[in-house]
């Protein structure tokens, strides 16, 4: 999704899933900090973190939210399972799926991410049209 957001949606995006980075950070700081440390290294004030956790309870995702907040970032959360999950309480905008089935929640999150991409592609195309005018 991050590649599509950057290439097609005109957004600066990156996925924090590099295997070497995750292994190194997990060894040095603990797995609960693998995303937070990347945000500390690369994040900027005004960035938006899209935080996804089916249960809304993942310690590494919650630590990433805290790191983004510390930098002055905005947070969009995608969660499911319980309506009062911890992650849902942390976002500026929250997309919650009312299901306890992992598959339904994860597929729903993917559909929402694609909808955001489609919207950003329309926005990017509009920006390009204005620039050409």
């Amino acid at each position: 999704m991050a590649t599509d957001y950057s290439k097609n949606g005109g957004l600066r995006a990156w996925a924090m899933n590099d295997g070497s980075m995750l292994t190194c950070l997990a060894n040095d700081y603990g797995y609960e900090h693998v995303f937070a440390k990347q945000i500390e290294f690369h994040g900027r004030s005004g960035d938006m973190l899209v935080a996804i956790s089916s249960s809304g309870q993942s310690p590494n995702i919650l630590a990433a939210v805290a790191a983004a907040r510390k930098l002055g970032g905005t947070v969009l959360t995608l969660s499911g399972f319980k309506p009062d999950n911890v992650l849902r309480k942390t976002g500026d905008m929250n997309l919650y799926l009312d299901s306890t089935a992992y598959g339904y929640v994860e597929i729903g999150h993917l559909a929402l991410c694609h909808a955001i991409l489609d919207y950003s592609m329309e926005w990017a195309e509009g920006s390009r049209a204005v620039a050409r005018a």
Side-chain angles (χ1 to χ4, degrees):
M1 292 303 315
T3 300
D4 284 343
Y5 287 152
S6 295
K7 182 175 74 83
N8 300 320
L11 301 170
R12 186 173 57 87
W14 114 86
M16 294 181 266
N17 62 350
D18 177 83
S20 297
M21 180 71 80
L22 293 173
T23 301
C24 174
L25 296 176
N27 287 340
D28 292 351
Y29 301 103
Y31 188 71
E32 66 275 12
H33 299 290
V34 296
F35 302 125
K37 294 308 283 184
Q38 291 183 73
I39 291 168
E40 289 174 19
F41 298 153
H42 302 289
R44 301 178 193 162
S45 178
D47 282 353
M48 175 183 279
L49 172 66
V50 178
I52 305 171
S53 169
S54 294
S55 69
Q57 308 295 346
S58 304
N60 55 1
I61 303 298
L62 296 171
V65 170
R69 291 281 187 221
K70 190 173 180 181
L71 287 174
T74 301
V75 177
L76 166 64
T77 70
L78 288 83
S79 66
F81 290 19
K82 296 179 182 178
D84 63 345
N85 71 67
V86 178
L87 182 63
R88 188 176 184 198
K89 296 175 185 177
T90 66
D92 296 295
M93 183 175 177
N94 306 285
L95 303 176
Y96 168 75
L97 297 174
D98 189 12
S99 177
T100 57
Y102 274 104
Y104 291 142
V105 173
E106 290 178 358
I107 292 298
H109 289 162
L110 183 59
L112 289 167
C113 287
H114 274 285
I116 293 167
L117 173 62
D118 289 345
Y119 179 79
S120 66
M121 288 173 66
E122 290 178 20
W123 173 78
E125 184 55 38
S127 296
R128 287 189 287 270
V130 168
R132 288 190 296 259

